[in-house]
Amino acid sequence: MFDVTLDYPVYSLDRRLLLPTGTALMEEDLYALMSSNTTENLKQIPFMQFETVREDILLFLTQPPGDAVFSDEEDVAEVMALMDHVQFTQPILDSVQYFREYDPYTYRHILMVFAYSTLLSKDLIPHYRSRIWEAATGPLHDFGKICVPVEILQKRSPLTREERNNLEHHTKAGYVLLCYYSQDIGNLAARVARNHHERRNGSGYPQGINLDDRLVEIVAVCDIYDALTSKRPYRPVSFDNRSALEEITMMAEKNEVSWDIVQALVAHNRQRKTHFTECNVSMEKRGIPPPNNVYGILID
Ligand SMILES: [Fe+2]
Ligand SMILES: [Fe+2]
């Protein structure tokens, strides 16, 4: 069971306080919170038809490195078909709209993680229905960032320890919020929101567990890949594709992430789309990470 104390409050998108700082989060707190959600609309709406989501995804897939990963038309068609099944309730769509308006980095990021993780699910998840469930977690993995001040999300200089803690709170907040909105404590998207920064060797956060959950790990790998290859507020120049794949390969070498997920990502980056089980990941490190990368550097 997820048994932690909240270091920051959890707010709904309309700024209602759901749980205050210091809440020692137990199962009964979550059930009480979920049952307090009597007003939320549970009607499901197709995500791809929401605002400009479909055209934005199609545009992002033409930009590097998405254009290389999605160079196969059949892949794109299959991924779009899977994504077309994904439906969300209105409060979830409101959060996507919030990022679109106030934090375009996160908006682009959640759509790219949606596309990448749906693509990898084709290789790594056997059943079509499960792939749709997996796909539906991609746009929601950073849901908890609605509780992180936009000034922190968009800060260009190194984060202080306090700001970093506040940013890391998005995992716990995302879990609480997705349990609340879905009214389902076993919700896969809530689990992904909570654990996508955990690592197999226990070096992640918020709990430092040994992540052993493929569905979460697929999103985690896609999350890292998109974060590295995108311009970020704290890093105006992104990692080139080779350096990014090398960083992720090093993470597999340290047992932070699984080899076969890295293989699948690398296979889609090759011009000849070999099956991932036949893809030899290069151990050579020739990439040059970008200069002035302040991610992970703390000032107190
Ligand atoms: Fe995250
Ligand atoms: Fe993310």
Side-chain angles (χ1 to χ4, degrees):
M1 175 55 203
F2 187 54
D3 185 5
V4 291
T5 301
L6 296 178
D7 302 317
Y8 297 87
V10 177
Y11 289 98
S12 63
L13 195 60
D14 53 1
R15 304 309 287 166
R16 279 176 293 122
L17 179 65
L18 297 184
L19 293 174
T21 305
T23 304
L25 194 61
M26 308 290 278
E27 208 166 75
E28 48 270 30
D29 298 300
L30 273 177
Y31 278 115
L33 181 68
M34 290 187 317
S35 59
S36 74
N37 180 6
T38 50
T39 55
E40 306 295 350
N41 189 348
L42 287 174
K43 183 171 172 271
Q44 299 280 335
I45 301 159
F47 181 47
M48 294 292 271
Q49 290 168 31
F50 177 66
E51 294 287 339
T52 55
V53 164
R54 172 182 291 275
E55 61 205 75
D56 290 339
I57 290 176
L58 287 172
L59 172 68
F60 298 151
L61 295 190
T62 65
Q63 299 167 347
D67 59 343
V69 176
F70 289 94
S71 60
D72 183 302
E73 277 175 25
E74 257 176 53
D75 274 347
V76 175
E78 279 182 60
V79 165
M80 294 299 277
L82 273 164
M83 296 198 298
D84 274 332
H85 289 288
V86 171
Q87 301 190 325
F88 294 134
T89 57
Q90 191 59 48
I92 304 278
L93 297 176
D94 290 344
S95 80
V96 175
Q97 182 63 10
Y98 167 84
F99 291 129
R100 186 165 169 257
E101 267 178 53
Y102 297 105
D103 186 17
Y105 286 102
T106 301
Y107 176 68
R108 185 182 193 285
H109 171 67
I110 59 176
L111 294 188
M112 284 311 291
V113 172
F114 181 31
Y116 289 136
S117 52
T118 305
L119 178 67
L120 296 199
S121 76
K122 279 193 325 110
D123 297 331
L124 300 164
I125 300 177
H127 303 294
Y128 197 81
R129 193 77 231 156
S130 314
R131 287 180 201 158
I132 297 167
W133 291 331
E134 172 75 1
T137 68
L140 308 187
H141 77 281
D142 276 338
F143 192 96
K145 285 187 177 172
I146 67 169
C147 292
V148 179
V150 170
E151 306 82 73
I152 293 180
L153 295 179
Q154 298 186 343
K155 196 174 173 196
R156 289 166 184 274
S157 51
L159 297 183
T160 62
R161 163 57 67 189
E162 177 63 22
E163 288 166 336
R164 178 118 210 120
N165 290 344
N166 200 336
L167 178 64
E168 292 184 359
H169 170 69
H170 80 278
T171 50
K172 298 176 190 174
Y175 176 64
V176 171
L177 286 165
L178 289 167
C179 286
Y180 174 74
Y181 284 121
S182 67
Q183 300 189 16
D184 172 16
I185 206 164
N187 184 270
L188 175 59
R191 199 166 89 216
V192 168
R194 183 183 74 197
N195 289 346
H196 69 280
H197 289 283
E198 302 285 7
R199 301 291 176 249
R200 293 182 65 76
N201 64 0
S203 64
Y205 67 88
Q207 291 182 287
I209 56 168
N210 290 100
L211 184 64
D212 181 17
D213 185 333
R214 292 181 65 68
L215 300 180
V216 175
E217 237 195 289
I218 291 169
V219 174
V221 168
C222 297
D223 179 35
I224 301 158
Y225 181 60
D226 183 66
L228 291 173
T229 55
S230 302
K231 289 182 196 146
R232 308 292 274 185
Y234 51 78
R235 190 191 55 229
V237 180
S238 57
F239 278 64
D240 64 72
N241 204 29
R242 180 172 186 103
S243 308
L245 292 173
E246 286 180 7
E247 288 286 321
I248 295 171
T249 303
M250 283 191 274
M251 292 182 72
E253 286 169 342
K254 287 185 270 184
N255 191 33
E256 293 180 17
V257 296
S258 292
W259 275 110
D260 61 343
I261 302 177
V262 178
Q263 266 182 308
L265 180 64
V266 171
H268 283 289
N269 267 284
R270 300 245 164 101
Q271 229 162 24
R272 275 184 62 239
K273 309 281 180 187
T274 38
H275 191 262
F276 76 97
T277 52
E278 284 152 26
C279 173
N280 290 319
V281 177
S282 162
M283 298 293 156
E284 215 184 312
K285 306 291 184 293
R286 287 194 272 125
I288 303 163
N292 306 323
N293 179 19
V294 296
Y295 181 73
I297 300 173
L298 293 174
I299 51 167
D300 285 305

